[in-house]
Amino acid sequence: MKNMKRNYNFNPGPAALPLEVLEEAQQQFVAYGGGGMSIMEMSHRSPAVERMVAETEELFKRLIGLPDSYRILFMGGGASMQFGLIPMNFLKEGQTAHYILSGSFSDKAYSEARAVGNAVVAASSKEAKWRLLPDTANLSIGEDAAYVHITTNNTIEGSQFGYIPDTNGVPLIGDMTSDIMSRKLDFSRFAMFYAGAQKNLGPAGVTVAAIHESLLAACSDRIPTIMKYSTYADNDSLYNTPPVHSLYMTKLVLEWTERLGGVAAMERLSQEKAALLYGVIDASDGFYQGVIEQPYRSSMNVTWRMKDEALERQLIAAAEDLGIEGLAGHRSVGGLRASIYNAVSLEACEALADLMTDFQRTRG
């Protein structure tokens, strides 16, 4: 494996995983912890799996800097399932859910809430075609507000909130799927935040939800048991069979993150990688055109366009010839995108920057 040439992976999710994590998992694949079987074969009621889940929760809380007043839940269904579970659990009759719309996924979360109960838009940049972020300085939040929902980073469009908005005491819930573990934030400002693992935390199959005990106590008791956050908390995420191997891989990624210096180190690296790629775009005299206005650019998902789609396809083909994968923009918007999550190396970004510079010199 050490001598195997691996491609540079800029896919948006499932995304790059650290090589040393993959190698460690490979070593334990057949017989986990000397237990005579793979962790995928072990009962989720076994002491080994229970211990692994508990250690993963504590490791996540330590890296993020969360106090004991938060519970970490490991769930399935991805962030898309959370879009429905959140209003089912927390949007009571006579209350209103408030949504900050900044991209396609926040719009989907809002649509799911409307299917459950009363939901309104607190702020939106949809009319600007998501090229900027909405103004949240004076959010319109009614007295009947159950919660405010925000998507902190927009994977498809390539924008990111650089701050946590003030919700005037109303519980704030954050979808952090594509920028969790990439920067230091005051997470105590959130009553809940959640993330699909397949960007910065591990492989697809696991969703991490962090919920303050005060919000956890407000879970509805009029929905099916499997849909209640309190069920997951009361059973330490083991009410039913979880995606055990994906959860184990998440633990390995968290350990890798800690070895490299934790969230602070990831933030420094993210800034360096993003500055490198945006630098090429901005210095290209319009050959490459950034999609998002500069103050709102993401440090996780770099998006850009070229003068025509034919040229964009040529760049993608040239990249694939060099073992650089995942540059095609989301099917709903087209263009180009480089997802530079924590496991994407600076070396990979340098290779992409060199390609873009050479491509402009020969095709510009």
Side-chain angles (χ1 to χ4, degrees):
M1 191 104 178
K2 289 290 186 183
N3 297 321
M4 179 185 295
K5 185 184 186 306
R6 285 172 49 82
N7 289 350
Y8 293 128
N9 184 353
F10 291 96
N11 279 301
L17 287 166
L19 177 58
E20 63 185 80
V21 165
L22 294 171
E23 291 175 336
E24 184 175 359
Q26 182 186 44
Q27 293 170 4
Q28 296 284 325
F29 188 78
V30 174
Y32 171 74
M37 66 178 71
S38 166
I39 196 169
M40 289 187 291
E41 302 171 273
M42 291 182 178
S43 166
H44 64 294
R45 307 295 183 192
S46 68
V49 172
E50 289 181 345
R51 184 167 54 251
M52 182 272 292
V53 173
E55 289 173 350
T56 306
E57 177 174 352
E58 288 305 310
L59 180 55
F60 182 83
K61 289 172 70 173
R62 183 167 72 246
L63 284 168
I64 289 289
L66 283 178
D68 290 338
S69 53
Y70 286 82
R71 284 301 310 272
I72 308 303
L73 311 179
F74 301 110
M75 309 174 70
S80 294
M81 181 174 285
Q82 300 297 313
F83 295 165
L85 291 182
I86 288 167
M88 290 175 70
N89 276 269
F90 304 126
L91 182 54
K92 307 291 197 303
E93 187 174 349
Q95 293 184 318
T96 303
H98 290 64
Y99 280 74
I100 297 170
L101 304 188
S102 56
S104 302
F105 284 116
S106 61
D107 205 17
K108 288 183 179 180
Y110 170 59
S111 295
E112 292 291 75
R114 291 183 65 192
V116 174
N118 189 31
V120 298
V121 176
S124 175
S125 58
K126 191 171 186 176
E127 289 187 359
K129 298 182 179 178
W130 312 125
R131 290 182 177 274
L132 46 78
L133 295 176
D135 181 9
T136 62
N138 297 293
L139 290 173
S140 176
I141 305 176
E143 294 182 358
D144 62 347
Y147 60 84
V148 177
H149 182 281
I150 187 172
T151 301
T152 56
N153 185 87
N154 294 291
T155 316
I156 293 175
E157 294 78 16
S159 61
Q160 183 178 38
F161 282 92
Y163 62 93
I164 303 171
D166 182 10
T167 58
N168 200 26
V170 176
L172 178 63
I173 298 177
D175 176 0
M176 301 195 70
T177 294
S178 56
D179 66 346
I180 191 71
M181 209 66 68
S182 70
R183 55 180 173 152
K184 295 179 71 68
L185 289 172
D186 180 4
F187 287 97
S188 67
R189 301 275 300 278
F190 290 96
M192 172 183 174
F193 58 93
Y194 61 94
Q198 68 276 8
K199 318 279 190 182
N200 273 337
L201 293 175
V206 175
T207 305
V208 179
I211 307 181
H212 192 272
E213 57 189 13
S214 60
L215 187 62
L216 197 56
C219 288
S220 172
D221 59 0
R222 303 183 65 182
I223 59 177
T225 303
I226 192 64
M227 296 178 179
K228 298 177 186 177
Y229 290 112
S230 56
T231 298
Y232 290 83
D234 291 343
N235 292 275
D236 297 322
S237 300
L238 295 171
Y239 174 74
N240 66 333
T241 308
V244 176
H245 191 263
S246 292
L247 184 49
Y248 164 63
M249 292 290 293
T250 297
K251 179 175 184 283
L252 296 185
V253 172
L254 293 174
E255 291 173 343
W256 170 84
T257 302
E258 189 170 48
R259 287 195 300 271
L260 265 63
V263 175
M266 295 298 103
E267 183 171 21
R268 289 191 297 271
L269 182 58
S270 294
Q271 291 171 348
E272 187 176 0
K273 292 185 296 188
L276 178 63
L277 296 182
Y278 286 125
V280 173
I281 292 169
D282 293 340
S284 70
D285 294 325
F287 186 77
Y288 301 116
Q289 303 141 25
V291 172
I292 300 299
E293 295 185 14
Q294 287 197 23
Y296 312 109
R297 287 172 167 176
S298 170
S299 62
M300 293 282 97
N301 307 99
V302 179
T303 55
W304 72 100
R305 299 301 301 254
M306 299 174 72
K307 67 179 181 180
D308 59 58
E309 293 182 4
L311 205 56
E312 293 172 350
R313 289 193 295 270
Q314 290 172 27
L315 177 60
I316 292 170
E320 290 176 348
D321 287 343
L322 295 175
I324 298 174
E325 293 196 5
L327 295 187
H330 191 271
R331 61 187 180 277
S332 64
V333 297
L336 298 143
R337 172 177 56 178
S339 295
I340 51 174
Y341 302 125
N342 289 355
V344 177
S345 66
L346 179 60
E347 176 187 279
C349 293
E350 289 171 340
L352 175 55
D354 289 344
L355 167 65
M356 292 171 67
T357 300
D358 291 341
F359 191 85
Q360 181 181 4
R361 186 176 62 250
T362 59
R363 310 293 178 91

PDB file of all heavy atoms in Angstrom, residues 148-180:
ATOM      1  N   VAL A 148     -34.043  28.388  15.439  1.00  0.00           N
ATOM      2  CA  VAL A 148     -33.514  28.975  14.205  1.00  0.00           C
ATOM      3  C   VAL A 148     -32.521  27.978  13.617  1.00  0.00           C
ATOM      4  O   VAL A 148     -31.665  27.453  14.339  1.00  0.00           O
ATOM      5  CB  VAL A 148     -32.811  30.326  14.462  1.00  0.00           C
ATOM      6  CG1 VAL A 148     -32.203  30.871  13.169  1.00  0.00           C
ATOM      7  CG2 VAL A 148     -33.792  31.329  15.061  1.00  0.00           C
ATOM      8  N   HIS A 149     -32.628  27.731  12.326  1.00  0.00           N
ATOM      9  CA  HIS A 149     -31.752  26.759  11.660  1.00  0.00           C
ATOM     10  C   HIS A 149     -30.840  27.480  10.674  1.00  0.00           C
ATOM     11  O   HIS A 149     -31.281  28.352   9.927  1.00  0.00           O
ATOM     12  CB  HIS A 149     -32.592  25.720  10.917  1.00  0.00           C
ATOM     13  CG  HIS A 149     -31.784  24.656  10.237  1.00  0.00           C
ATOM     14  ND1 HIS A 149     -31.148  24.835   9.022  1.00  0.00           N
ATOM     15  CD2 HIS A 149     -31.492  23.372  10.618  1.00  0.00           C
ATOM     16  CE1 HIS A 149     -30.517  23.733   8.680  1.00  0.00           C
ATOM     17  NE2 HIS A 149     -30.705  22.835   9.629  1.00  0.00           N
ATOM     18  N   ILE A 150     -29.563  27.100  10.687  1.00  0.00           N
ATOM     19  CA  ILE A 150     -28.583  27.683   9.770  1.00  0.00           C
ATOM     20  C   ILE A 150     -27.703  26.579   9.200  1.00  0.00           C
ATOM     21  O   ILE A 150     -27.399  25.596   9.890  1.00  0.00           O
ATOM     22  CB  ILE A 150     -27.710  28.743  10.492  1.00  0.00           C
ATOM     23  CG1 ILE A 150     -26.807  29.476   9.498  1.00  0.00           C
ATOM     24  CG2 ILE A 150     -26.902  28.125  11.623  1.00  0.00           C
ATOM     25  CD1 ILE A 150     -26.062  30.658  10.109  1.00  0.00           C
ATOM     26  N   THR A 151     -27.313  26.722   7.952  1.00  0.00           N
ATOM     27  CA  THR A 151     -26.314  25.852   7.332  1.00  0.00           C
ATOM     28  C   THR A 151     -25.017  26.651   7.282  1.00  0.00           C
ATOM     29  O   THR A 151     -24.940  27.666   6.588  1.00  0.00           O
ATOM     30  CB  THR A 151     -26.745  25.426   5.921  1.00  0.00           C
ATOM     31  OG1 THR A 151     -27.993  24.733   6.014  1.00  0.00           O
ATOM     32  CG2 THR A 151     -25.710  24.516   5.276  1.00  0.00           C
ATOM     33  N   THR A 152     -24.009  26.220   8.016  1.00  0.00           N
ATOM     34  CA  THR A 152     -22.813  27.044   8.192  1.00  0.00           C
ATOM     35  C   THR A 152     -21.912  27.088   6.965  1.00  0.00           C
ATOM     36  O   THR A 152     -21.174  28.058   6.767  1.00  0.00           O
ATOM     37  CB  THR A 152     -21.996  26.557   9.402  1.00  0.00           C
ATOM     38  OG1 THR A 152     -21.682  25.162   9.233  1.00  0.00           O
ATOM     39  CG2 THR A 152     -22.773  26.745  10.697  1.00  0.00           C
ATOM     40  N   ASN A 153     -21.940  26.037   6.151  1.00  0.00           N
ATOM     41  CA  ASN A 153     -21.136  25.985   4.931  1.00  0.00           C
ATOM     42  C   ASN A 153     -21.953  25.346   3.823  1.00  0.00           C
ATOM     43  O   ASN A 153     -22.588  24.314   4.037  1.00  0.00           O
ATOM     44  CB  ASN A 153     -19.855  25.174   5.153  1.00  0.00           C
ATOM     45  CG  ASN A 153     -18.933  25.189   3.944  1.00  0.00           C
ATOM     46  OD1 ASN A 153     -18.104  26.091   3.790  1.00  0.00           O
ATOM     47  ND2 ASN A 153     -19.045  24.197   3.077  1.00  0.00           N
ATOM     48  N   ASN A 154     -21.947  25.974   2.661  1.00  0.00           N
ATOM     49  CA  ASN A 154     -22.759  25.486   1.547  1.00  0.00           C
ATOM     50  C   ASN A 154     -21.890  24.716   0.561  1.00  0.00           C
ATOM     51  O   ASN A 154     -21.115  25.301  -0.202  1.00  0.00           O
ATOM     52  CB  ASN A 154     -23.459  26.665   0.885  1.00  0.00           C
ATOM     53  CG  ASN A 154     -24.472  27.304   1.813  1.00  0.00           C
ATOM     54  OD1 ASN A 154     -25.503  26.715   2.121  1.00  0.00           O
ATOM     55  ND2 ASN A 154     -24.173  28.495   2.296  1.00  0.00           N
ATOM     56  N   THR A 155     -22.031  23.403   0.590  1.00  0.00           N
ATOM     57  CA  THR A 155     -21.189  22.504  -0.186  1.00  0.00           C
ATOM     58  C   THR A 155     -21.310  22.728  -1.679  1.00  0.00           C
ATOM     59  O   THR A 155     -20.307  22.703  -2.405  1.00  0.00           O
ATOM     60  CB  THR A 155     -21.573  21.040   0.117  1.00  0.00           C
ATOM     61  OG1 THR A 155     -21.744  20.874   1.508  1.00  0.00           O
ATOM     62  CG2 THR A 155     -20.518  20.090  -0.393  1.00  0.00           C
ATOM     63  N   ILE A 156     -22.523  22.923  -2.156  1.00  0.00           N
ATOM     64  CA  ILE A 156     -22.758  23.046  -3.594  1.00  0.00           C
ATOM     65  C   ILE A 156     -22.282  24.393  -4.112  1.00  0.00           C
ATOM     66  O   ILE A 156     -21.552  24.488  -5.096  1.00  0.00           O
ATOM     67  CB  ILE A 156     -24.251  22.838  -3.918  1.00  0.00           C
ATOM     68  CG1 ILE A 156     -24.658  21.395  -3.621  1.00  0.00           C
ATOM     69  CG2 ILE A 156     -24.543  23.186  -5.382  1.00  0.00           C
ATOM     70  CD1 ILE A 156     -26.146  21.126  -3.796  1.00  0.00           C
ATOM     71  N   GLU A 157     -22.666  25.471  -3.411  1.00  0.00           N
ATOM     72  CA  GLU A 157     -22.393  26.811  -3.905  1.00  0.00           C
ATOM     73  C   GLU A 157     -20.976  27.289  -3.564  1.00  0.00           C
ATOM     74  O   GLU A 157     -20.375  28.043  -4.332  1.00  0.00           O
ATOM     75  CB  GLU A 157     -23.426  27.791  -3.345  1.00  0.00           C
ATOM     76  CG  GLU A 157     -24.836  27.545  -3.839  1.00  0.00           C
ATOM     77  CD  GLU A 157     -25.546  26.378  -3.142  1.00  0.00           C
ATOM     78  OE1 GLU A 157     -25.071  25.938  -2.076  1.00  0.00           O
ATOM     79  OE2 GLU A 157     -26.567  25.913  -3.671  1.00  0.00           O
ATOM     80  N   GLY A 158     -20.456  26.886  -2.405  1.00  0.00           N
ATOM     81  CA  GLY A 158     -19.111  27.280  -2.012  1.00  0.00           C
ATOM     82  C   GLY A 158     -19.059  28.533  -1.162  1.00  0.00           C
ATOM     83  O   GLY A 158     -18.140  29.344  -1.287  1.00  0.00           O
ATOM     84  N   SER A 159     -20.031  28.700  -0.263  1.00  0.00           N
ATOM     85  CA  SER A 159     -20.042  29.845   0.651  1.00  0.00           C
ATOM     86  C   SER A 159     -20.033  29.349   2.088  1.00  0.00           C
ATOM     87  O   SER A 159     -20.390  28.200   2.367  1.00  0.00           O
ATOM     88  CB  SER A 159     -21.269  30.733   0.402  1.00  0.00           C
ATOM     89  OG  SER A 159     -22.468  30.006   0.623  1.00  0.00           O
ATOM     90  N   GLN A 160     -19.649  30.244   3.014  1.00  0.00           N
ATOM     91  CA  GLN A 160     -19.480  29.827   4.405  1.00  0.00           C
ATOM     92  C   GLN A 160     -19.679  31.021   5.332  1.00  0.00           C
ATOM     93  O   GLN A 160     -19.147  32.104   5.092  1.00  0.00           O
ATOM     94  CB  GLN A 160     -18.078  29.249   4.605  1.00  0.00           C
ATOM     95  CG  GLN A 160     -17.792  28.698   5.989  1.00  0.00           C
ATOM     96  CD  GLN A 160     -16.385  28.104   6.070  1.00  0.00           C
ATOM     97  OE1 GLN A 160     -15.447  28.633   5.492  1.00  0.00           O
ATOM     98  NE2 GLN A 160     -16.244  27.000   6.790  1.00  0.00           N
ATOM     99  N   PHE A 161     -20.442  30.803   6.386  1.00  0.00           N
ATOM    100  CA  PHE A 161     -20.591  31.838   7.409  1.00  0.00           C
ATOM    101  C   PHE A 161     -19.311  31.914   8.241  1.00  0.00           C
ATOM    102  O   PHE A 161     -18.838  30.890   8.737  1.00  0.00           O
ATOM    103  CB  PHE A 161     -21.778  31.537   8.320  1.00  0.00           C
ATOM    104  CG  PHE A 161     -23.115  31.879   7.726  1.00  0.00           C
ATOM    105  CD1 PHE A 161     -23.845  30.929   7.027  1.00  0.00           C
ATOM    106  CD2 PHE A 161     -23.631  33.159   7.861  1.00  0.00           C
ATOM    107  CE1 PHE A 161     -25.077  31.245   6.468  1.00  0.00           C
ATOM    108  CE2 PHE A 161     -24.862  33.494   7.308  1.00  0.00           C
ATOM    109  CZ  PHE A 161     -25.592  32.536   6.610  1.00  0.00           C
ATOM    110  N   GLY A 162     -18.801  33.114   8.410  1.00  0.00           N
ATOM    111  CA  GLY A 162     -17.605  33.304   9.223  1.00  0.00           C
ATOM    112  C   GLY A 162     -17.917  33.627  10.666  1.00  0.00           C
ATOM    113  O   GLY A 162     -17.016  33.912  11.456  1.00  0.00           O
ATOM    114  N   TYR A 163     -19.185  33.577  11.035  1.00  0.00           N
ATOM    115  CA  TYR A 163     -19.617  33.938  12.383  1.00  0.00           C
ATOM    116  C   TYR A 163     -20.882  33.156  12.713  1.00  0.00           C
ATOM    117  O   TYR A 163     -21.513  32.557  11.837  1.00  0.00           O
ATOM    118  CB  TYR A 163     -19.913  35.443  12.454  1.00  0.00           C
ATOM    119  CG  TYR A 163     -21.043  35.852  11.539  1.00  0.00           C
ATOM    120  CD1 TYR A 163     -22.351  35.915  12.009  1.00  0.00           C
ATOM    121  CD2 TYR A 163     -20.813  36.135  10.198  1.00  0.00           C
ATOM    122  CE1 TYR A 163     -23.399  36.254  11.166  1.00  0.00           C
ATOM    123  CE2 TYR A 163     -21.853  36.481   9.348  1.00  0.00           C
ATOM    124  CZ  TYR A 163     -23.142  36.537   9.839  1.00  0.00           C
ATOM    125  OH  TYR A 163     -24.180  36.874   8.996  1.00  0.00           O
ATOM    126  N   ILE A 164     -21.251  33.191  13.984  1.00  0.00           N
ATOM    127  CA  ILE A 164     -22.488  32.565  14.435  1.00  0.00           C
ATOM    128  C   ILE A 164     -23.485  33.674  14.736  1.00  0.00           C
ATOM    129  O   ILE A 164     -23.218  34.543  15.569  1.00  0.00           O
ATOM    130  CB  ILE A 164     -22.249  31.708  15.695  1.00  0.00           C
ATOM    131  CG1 ILE A 164     -21.180  30.650  15.432  1.00  0.00           C
ATOM    132  CG2 ILE A 164     -23.548  31.049  16.148  1.00  0.00           C
ATOM    133  CD1 ILE A 164     -20.738  29.916  16.678  1.00  0.00           C
ATOM    134  N   PRO A 165     -24.622  33.702  14.068  1.00  0.00           N
ATOM    135  CA  PRO A 165     -25.566  34.806  14.269  1.00  0.00           C
ATOM    136  C   PRO A 165     -26.195  34.800  15.660  1.00  0.00           C
ATOM    137  O   PRO A 165     -26.308  33.749  16.301  1.00  0.00           O
ATOM    138  CB  PRO A 165     -26.622  34.564  13.184  1.00  0.00           C
ATOM    139  CG  PRO A 165     -26.534  33.115  12.882  1.00  0.00           C
ATOM    140  CD  PRO A 165     -25.094  32.746  13.061  1.00  0.00           C
ATOM    141  N   ASP A 166     -26.603  35.966  16.101  1.00  0.00           N
ATOM    142  CA  ASP A 166     -27.291  36.126  17.381  1.00  0.00           C
ATOM    143  C   ASP A 166     -28.777  35.832  17.169  1.00  0.00           C
ATOM    144  O   ASP A 166     -29.427  36.463  16.335  1.00  0.00           O
ATOM    145  CB  ASP A 166     -27.096  37.550  17.900  1.00  0.00           C
ATOM    146  CG  ASP A 166     -27.746  37.760  19.255  1.00  0.00           C
ATOM    147  OD1 ASP A 166     -28.180  36.774  19.881  1.00  0.00           O
ATOM    148  OD2 ASP A 166     -27.832  38.929  19.687  1.00  0.00           O
ATOM    149  N   THR A 167     -29.321  34.895  17.914  1.00  0.00           N
ATOM    150  CA  THR A 167     -30.730  34.535  17.772  1.00  0.00           C
ATOM    151  C   THR A 167     -31.566  35.014  18.960  1.00  0.00           C
ATOM    152  O   THR A 167     -32.711  34.587  19.127  1.00  0.00           O
ATOM    153  CB  THR A 167     -30.882  33.018  17.604  1.00  0.00           C
ATOM    154  OG1 THR A 167     -30.288  32.353  18.739  1.00  0.00           O
ATOM    155  CG2 THR A 167     -30.201  32.549  16.329  1.00  0.00           C
ATOM    156  N   ASN A 168     -30.981  35.854  19.773  1.00  0.00           N
ATOM    157  CA  ASN A 168     -31.712  36.478  20.884  1.00  0.00           C
ATOM    158  C   ASN A 168     -32.352  35.443  21.814  1.00  0.00           C
ATOM    159  O   ASN A 168     -33.504  35.571  22.233  1.00  0.00           O
ATOM    160  CB  ASN A 168     -32.780  37.434  20.331  1.00  0.00           C
ATOM    161  CG  ASN A 168     -33.231  38.452  21.370  1.00  0.00           C
ATOM    162  OD1 ASN A 168     -32.492  38.780  22.291  1.00  0.00           O
ATOM    163  ND2 ASN A 168     -34.451  38.952  21.216  1.00  0.00           N
ATOM    164  N   GLY A 169     -31.594  34.410  22.108  1.00  0.00           N
ATOM    165  CA  GLY A 169     -32.042  33.410  23.071  1.00  0.00           C
ATOM    166  C   GLY A 169     -32.828  32.260  22.490  1.00  0.00           C
ATOM    167  O   GLY A 169     -33.099  31.272  23.190  1.00  0.00           O
ATOM    168  N   VAL A 170     -33.221  32.339  21.235  1.00  0.00           N
ATOM    169  CA  VAL A 170     -33.938  31.232  20.592  1.00  0.00           C
ATOM    170  C   VAL A 170     -32.925  30.142  20.250  1.00  0.00           C
ATOM    171  O   VAL A 170     -31.837  30.444  19.752  1.00  0.00           O
ATOM    172  CB  VAL A 170     -34.658  31.714  19.319  1.00  0.00           C
ATOM    173  CG1 VAL A 170     -35.323  30.547  18.600  1.00  0.00           C
ATOM    174  CG2 VAL A 170     -35.684  32.783  19.665  1.00  0.00           C
ATOM    175  N   PRO A 171     -33.236  28.882  20.511  1.00  0.00           N
ATOM    176  CA  PRO A 171     -32.275  27.806  20.220  1.00  0.00           C
ATOM    177  C   PRO A 171     -31.803  27.835  18.766  1.00  0.00           C
ATOM    178  O   PRO A 171     -32.604  27.913  17.840  1.00  0.00           O
ATOM    179  CB  PRO A 171     -33.075  26.540  20.508  1.00  0.00           C
ATOM    180  CG  PRO A 171     -34.106  26.956  21.515  1.00  0.00           C
ATOM    181  CD  PRO A 171     -34.473  28.356  21.143  1.00  0.00           C
ATOM    182  N   LEU A 172     -30.482  27.786  18.585  1.00  0.00           N
ATOM    183  CA  LEU A 172     -29.878  27.782  17.249  1.00  0.00           C
ATOM    184  C   LEU A 172     -29.443  26.364  16.906  1.00  0.00           C
ATOM    185  O   LEU A 172     -28.737  25.717  17.685  1.00  0.00           O
ATOM    186  CB  LEU A 172     -28.674  28.720  17.203  1.00  0.00           C
ATOM    187  CG  LEU A 172     -27.903  28.792  15.875  1.00  0.00           C
ATOM    188  CD1 LEU A 172     -28.795  29.347  14.768  1.00  0.00           C
ATOM    189  CD2 LEU A 172     -26.645  29.634  16.030  1.00  0.00           C
ATOM    190  N   ILE A 173     -29.850  25.895  15.734  1.00  0.00           N
ATOM    191  CA  ILE A 173     -29.493  24.565  15.251  1.00  0.00           C
ATOM    192  C   ILE A 173     -28.691  24.724  13.969  1.00  0.00           C
ATOM    193  O   ILE A 173     -29.110  25.423  13.049  1.00  0.00           O
ATOM    194  CB  ILE A 173     -30.743  23.712  14.994  1.00  0.00           C
ATOM    195  CG1 ILE A 173     -31.507  23.508  16.312  1.00  0.00           C
ATOM    196  CG2 ILE A 173     -30.368  22.366  14.381  1.00  0.00           C
ATOM    197  CD1 ILE A 173     -32.806  22.729  16.158  1.00  0.00           C
ATOM    198  N   GLY A 174     -27.524  24.091  13.905  1.00  0.00           N
ATOM    199  CA  GLY A 174     -26.636  24.256  12.764  1.00  0.00           C
ATOM    200  C   GLY A 174     -26.357  22.973  12.006  1.00  0.00           C
ATOM    201  O   GLY A 174     -26.011  21.953  12.615  1.00  0.00           O
ATOM    202  N   ASP A 175     -26.541  23.037  10.690  1.00  0.00           N
ATOM    203  CA  ASP A 175     -26.067  21.969   9.811  1.00  0.00           C
ATOM    204  C   ASP A 175     -24.617  22.288   9.485  1.00  0.00           C
ATOM    205  O   ASP A 175     -24.314  23.209   8.739  1.00  0.00           O
ATOM    206  CB  ASP A 175     -26.920  21.923   8.543  1.00  0.00           C
ATOM    207  CG  ASP A 175     -26.431  20.884   7.532  1.00  0.00           C
ATOM    208  OD1 ASP A 175     -25.429  20.199   7.808  1.00  0.00           O
ATOM    209  OD2 ASP A 175     -27.061  20.771   6.463  1.00  0.00           O
ATOM    210  N   MET A 176     -23.688  21.503  10.039  1.00  0.00           N
ATOM    211  CA  MET A 176     -22.259  21.719   9.848  1.00  0.00           C
ATOM    212  C   MET A 176     -21.625  20.579   9.071  1.00  0.00           C
ATOM    213  O   MET A 176     -20.431  20.294   9.217  1.00  0.00           O
ATOM    214  CB  MET A 176     -21.563  21.904  11.202  1.00  0.00           C
ATOM    215  CG  MET A 176     -22.088  23.066  12.032  1.00  0.00           C
ATOM    216  SD  MET A 176     -20.984  23.502  13.384  1.00  0.00           S
ATOM    217  CE  MET A 176     -19.614  24.216  12.475  1.00  0.00           C
ATOM    218  N   THR A 177     -22.405  19.964   8.196  1.00  0.00           N
ATOM    219  CA  THR A 177     -21.941  18.768   7.505  1.00  0.00           C
ATOM    220  C   THR A 177     -20.625  18.986   6.773  1.00  0.00           C
ATOM    221  O   THR A 177     -19.746  18.118   6.813  1.00  0.00           O
ATOM    222  CB  THR A 177     -23.018  18.280   6.518  1.00  0.00           C
ATOM    223  OG1 THR A 177     -24.161  17.849   7.259  1.00  0.00           O
ATOM    224  CG2 THR A 177     -22.510  17.130   5.659  1.00  0.00           C
ATOM    225  N   SER A 178     -20.467  20.118   6.103  1.00  0.00           N
ATOM    226  CA  SER A 178     -19.272  20.273   5.270  1.00  0.00           C
ATOM    227  C   SER A 178     -18.204  21.187   5.848  1.00  0.00           C
ATOM    228  O   SER A 178     -17.240  21.506   5.154  1.00  0.00           O
ATOM    229  CB  SER A 178     -19.663  20.745   3.860  1.00  0.00           C
ATOM    230  OG  SER A 178     -20.418  21.933   3.906  1.00  0.00           O
ATOM    231  N   ASP A 179     -18.341  21.599   7.119  1.00  0.00           N
ATOM    232  CA  ASP A 179     -17.198  22.315   7.712  1.00  0.00           C
ATOM    233  C   ASP A 179     -16.945  21.961   9.172  1.00  0.00           C
ATOM    234  O   ASP A 179     -16.130  22.600   9.831  1.00  0.00           O
ATOM    235  CB  ASP A 179     -17.329  23.832   7.530  1.00  0.00           C
ATOM    236  CG  ASP A 179     -18.493  24.450   8.298  1.00  0.00           C
ATOM    237  OD1 ASP A 179     -19.372  23.692   8.772  1.00  0.00           O
ATOM    238  OD2 ASP A 179     -18.531  25.686   8.410  1.00  0.00           O
ATOM    239  N   ILE A 180     -17.611  20.910   9.670  1.00  0.00           N
ATOM    240  CA  ILE A 180     -17.333  20.464  11.025  1.00  0.00           C
ATOM    241  C   ILE A 180     -15.863  20.086  11.156  1.00  0.00           C
ATOM    242  O   ILE A 180     -15.253  19.558  10.230  1.00  0.00           O
ATOM    243  CB  ILE A 180     -18.242  19.267  11.386  1.00  0.00           C
ATOM    244  CG1 ILE A 180     -18.172  18.946  12.880  1.00  0.00           C
ATOM    245  CG2 ILE A 180     -17.875  18.033  10.555  1.00  0.00           C
ATOM    246  CD1 ILE A 180     -18.837  19.950  13.745  1.00  0.00           C
TER     247      ILE A 180
END
